[in-house]
Amino acid sequence: NGYECTNDGDCHLLVIDRERKMLFEQWRTNIIGGGAQDNPYNGGCAAGWDLTKDYGWNKVKGYDYTNPGRGVDCTSSDAGGLPVTPLLFTPEELDAGVINHALRFVLPNNNIRAKKFVFPITHGTQT
């Protein structure tokens, strides 16, 4: 019947619209109850990604440092400026016992504490 993000949680909503070839990601998402009219939906920092666009992260050509994704200081659902969904693993990959791509995760580090970021990231927390 819904999902409530509590305690300032890191609750992401990831939606792929295959027909429109768009990826939507949102942070701190609340979907309380079942009906949109009586039960609110809200969240923070929604980002839309056009899945037909080359954001400068072309695997074949390598990273294009002149094309920094959506732009320097442009955030995303996890504040890094990059989409989250492409670097997650799927149940099918787990069942197969093989993940043939990089996984994304963040570890606390001095750059985060100093409010800095390193390309290809285009935004840092609290920058």
Side-chain angles (χ1 to χ4, degrees), residues 19 23 30 36 38 49 66-67 82 85-86 92-94 97-99 103 108-109 113-114 123 125:
E19 186 175 311
L23 167 63
N30 278 298
D38 299 326
W49 302 92
T66 64
N67 178 18
L82 299 175
T85 304
E92 294 79 14
E93 289 171 315
L94 290 177
V98 177
I99 300 172
L103 295 176
N109 61 64
R113 289 183 191 94
H123 184 270
T125 57

Side-chain angles (χ1 to χ4, degrees), residues 11-127:
C11 313
H12 291 255
L13 174 67
L14 311 172
V15 176
I16 298 174
D17 182 336
R18 294 180 193 277
E19 186 175 311
R20 292 176 41 209
K21 297 183 171 108
M22 290 291 295
L23 167 63
F24 300 96
E25 300 182 339
Q26 187 173 34
W27 165 75
R28 197 187 283 162
T29 303
N30 278 298
I31 306 170
I32 302 169
Q37 293 176 342
D38 299 326
N39 301 291
Y41 158 85
N42 59 58
C45 192
W49 302 92
D50 181 344
L51 297 176
T52 66
K53 183 177 177 184
D54 179 356
Y55 287 94
W57 310 309
N58 188 306
K59 188 164 99 172
V60 175
K61 294 186 288 184
Y63 185 71
D64 178 1
Y65 288 92
T66 64
N67 178 18
R70 293 170 53 222
V72 175
D73 293 330
C74 189
T75 191
S76 62
S77 68
D78 76 340
L82 299 175
V84 172
T85 304
L87 296 178
L88 298 177
F89 54 83
T90 67
E92 294 79 14
E93 289 171 315
L94 290 177
D95 285 344
V98 177
I99 300 172
N100 288 322
H101 59 81
L103 295 176
R104 183 166 182 201
F105 60 94
V106 178
L107 299 173
N109 61 64
N110 290 335
N111 283 337
I112 290 174
R113 289 183 191 94
K115 302 179 182 178
K116 297 178 187 176
F117 58 88
V118 177
F119 284 106
I121 302 300
T122 60
H123 184 270
T125 57
Q126 302 174 16
T127 57

